[in-house]
Amino acid sequence: MANGFSLGSFSRPGRSVTAPPRAGWRSPHPPRYPSWGVSAQSEDRVPVSKRHRPPVVAVTGAASGVGRAFLSKVASSADFRRVVAIDAQRGDVTDVTWRVLDIRDPLLANRISDVDVLVHLAGDFSLDGDPAERRAYNLRAAQTVLTASAAARVRRVVLVTSAMVYGADADNPVPLPEDAPVAAESDTGVVGDHLEIESLVRRSLRAHPGLEVVVLRPAALVGPEVDTVVTRHFEAPRLLVVKGCLPRWQFCHVDDLVSALELAALGHVNGVVAVGSEGWLEMEQVEEISGVRRFELPAGLTFSTAQRLHRLGITPAPATDLHYVVYPWVVDCATLRAAGWKPAWTNDAALRELMTYREGKHAVVGRRLSGKDATLTAAGATVAVIGTAAIVRAARRKKKI
């Protein structure tokens, strides 16, 4: 899969990927592809009288998760003329206009004809479901939103992917600039979904040059309903590190993502926008705050074992997802900072909150364990981190039943 435009390239041994365009990139000649931010066409087609009115905003995935959090924030905001909530089921937020439909329905264009800005937050990023079904849903939803928005002449679409698209690597600068190349490996994991969604955005901008699209890339998310490779990492009895490289940790609380989404919906930021707490935590700080100690292993052993466990169906995520808990992928939120945005949550506070969600949960290499499995796993520190013989035996027993 092509990961980017021909505005620059980035290569590492064995792979070559392309960089996304810089927000606000300009050239003395017309660019081959449209930029990710405000387009001249979209501004020209909107009457001046409408540009200064509060916009009508629609939110997909509005009944739960980040969608509900954003909907609650903007429901009574004077910055929006009206708020439209879109989901397959009606949610509990009041003072908004609910439109119940499957976000993949081509008739979506008819339901958003009165909308100025669409914030797309409907998605399935669960770790335990079927990867092919998950990806099919996410890509169909994103494609429908982009096509319907162009057809309905929606001025701006805001999507959320992840800072994971930059890739996690021992050689990454800390922090990564927002215009750093997209260097993640495309695989069956959630990061592969994010890469495909961003590819859809680029194709949509070529097909619909009048459409504005803003892509928010949050750091490791923290919140009440967030369940990711990173959050499960902190459910393990020990924190895995690989020899020769310590991770740096940056988090993004859902509250801060919501406030960044609001700025994007109002047009205060454009293009590719990184979102996260200021700075980062060193491993020693993470151990002190979490109360969980590290366990160090060679990189080769760690990734080869994780890959075998994934092939056996024992762990939900591919081995490449382990990169995001052992290598740095800290981002510099320069665009938001320039817009006057400041995160309400520090990395310390976000990690402390994350640890409150850990109680009663046990995971090893991203795999959730039952109470019995967790007891067996915790008996050995080494196997507790990279997968245990007890887990393998339990998985084989299930397959025989």
Side-chain angles (χ1 to χ4, degrees), residues 15 48 56 59 98 109 124 137 165 192 204 299 320 326 387:
R15 57 179 170 151
V48 173
V56 175
V59 185
W98 280 95
D124 174 13
Y137 176 89
V165 300
S204 180
T320 49
V326 298

Side-chain angles (χ1 to χ4, degrees), residues 68-369:
R68 185 190 180 283
F70 178 71
L71 185 68
S72 299
K73 178 76 160 48
V74 302
S76 57
S77 172
D79 291 327
F80 297 98
R81 191 161 77 254
R82 188 156 51 89
V83 179
V84 176
I86 301 173
D87 209 315
Q89 59 184 14
R90 187 183 180 91
D92 59 357
V93 178
T94 57
D95 299 324
V96 300
T97 302
W98 280 95
R99 293 176 181 169
V100 178
L101 78 158
D102 188 325
I103 193 62
R104 298 167 295 177
D105 191 331
L107 294 176
L108 175 65
N110 297 334
R111 308 300 298 274
I112 58 174
S113 59
D114 57 343
V115 168
D116 300 307
V117 181
L118 189 147
V119 179
H120 177 49
L121 299 173
D124 174 13
F125 299 102
S126 61
L127 298 177
D128 299 319
D130 179 82
E133 291 181 4
R134 185 198 66 229
R135 181 160 298 180
Y137 176 89
N138 289 331
L139 296 186
R140 177 67 180 274
Q143 180 67 70
T144 304
V145 162
L146 291 166
T147 303
S149 295
R153 298 178 69 82
V154 172
R155 295 207 309 266
R156 169 175 289 235
V157 175
V158 181
L159 298 96
V160 175
T161 57
S162 172
M164 296 172 82
V165 300
Y166 292 112
D169 192 272
D171 297 327
N172 275 347
V174 179
L176 287 157
E178 284 174 311
D179 60 355
V182 170
E185 296 181 36
S186 183
D187 52 32
T188 59
V190 169
V191 67
D193 293 16
H194 293 312
L195 289 168
E196 292 280 5
I197 289 169
E198 292 202 2
S199 180
L200 278 177
V201 171
R202 291 189 287 272
R203 292 201 297 270
S204 180
L205 288 173
R206 293 196 293 270
H208 310 290
L211 185 66
E212 281 177 48
V213 181
V214 185
V215 176
L216 269 59
R217 294 173 173 170
L221 273 178
V222 173
E225 300 177 36
V226 176
D227 179 22
T228 66
V229 168
V230 171
T231 62
R232 290 193 183 187
H233 179 66
F234 286 93
E235 296 172 15
R238 301 286 288 271
L239 300 177
L240 173 66
V241 300
V242 298
K243 289 183 178 179
C245 182
L246 291 179
R248 278 83 163 184
W249 289 95
Q250 181 188 34
F251 301 99
C252 177
H253 195 279
V254 166
D255 292 349
D256 289 328
L257 177 57
V258 164
S259 66
L261 283 166
E262 189 172 16
L263 284 180
L266 291 170
H268 297 315
V269 293
N270 301 305
V272 173
V273 182
V275 192
S277 296
E278 291 182 0
W280 60 89
L281 298 175
E282 300 289 348
M283 192 64 207
E284 292 79 6
Q285 295 171 288
V286 168
E287 287 181 301
E288 181 180 354
I289 293 168
S290 68
V292 183
R293 298 305 173 195
R294 77 184 80 171
F295 189 82
E296 187 176 86
L297 291 169
L301 172 63
T302 299
F303 297 123
S304 62
T305 303
Q307 188 59 37
R308 286 196 296 272
L309 291 172
H310 181 61
R311 282 200 301 266
L312 289 169
I314 296 169
T315 57
T320 49
D321 276 14
L322 270 185
H323 291 189
Y324 295 94
V325 299
V326 298
Y327 295 136
W329 50 292
V330 176
V331 289
D332 180 15
C333 307
T335 298
L336 284 170
R337 192 167 55 248
W341 177 89
K342 290 185 179 180
W345 288 77
T346 63
N347 285 304
D348 305 50
L351 177 56
R352 292 181 196 280
E353 172 146 324
L354 172 57
M355 297 311 295
T356 67
Y357 305 135
R358 180 181 189 265
E359 188 174 351
K361 298 175 182 176
H362 308 277
V364 173
V365 200
R367 180 181 183 268
R368 281 268 169 78
L369 306 174

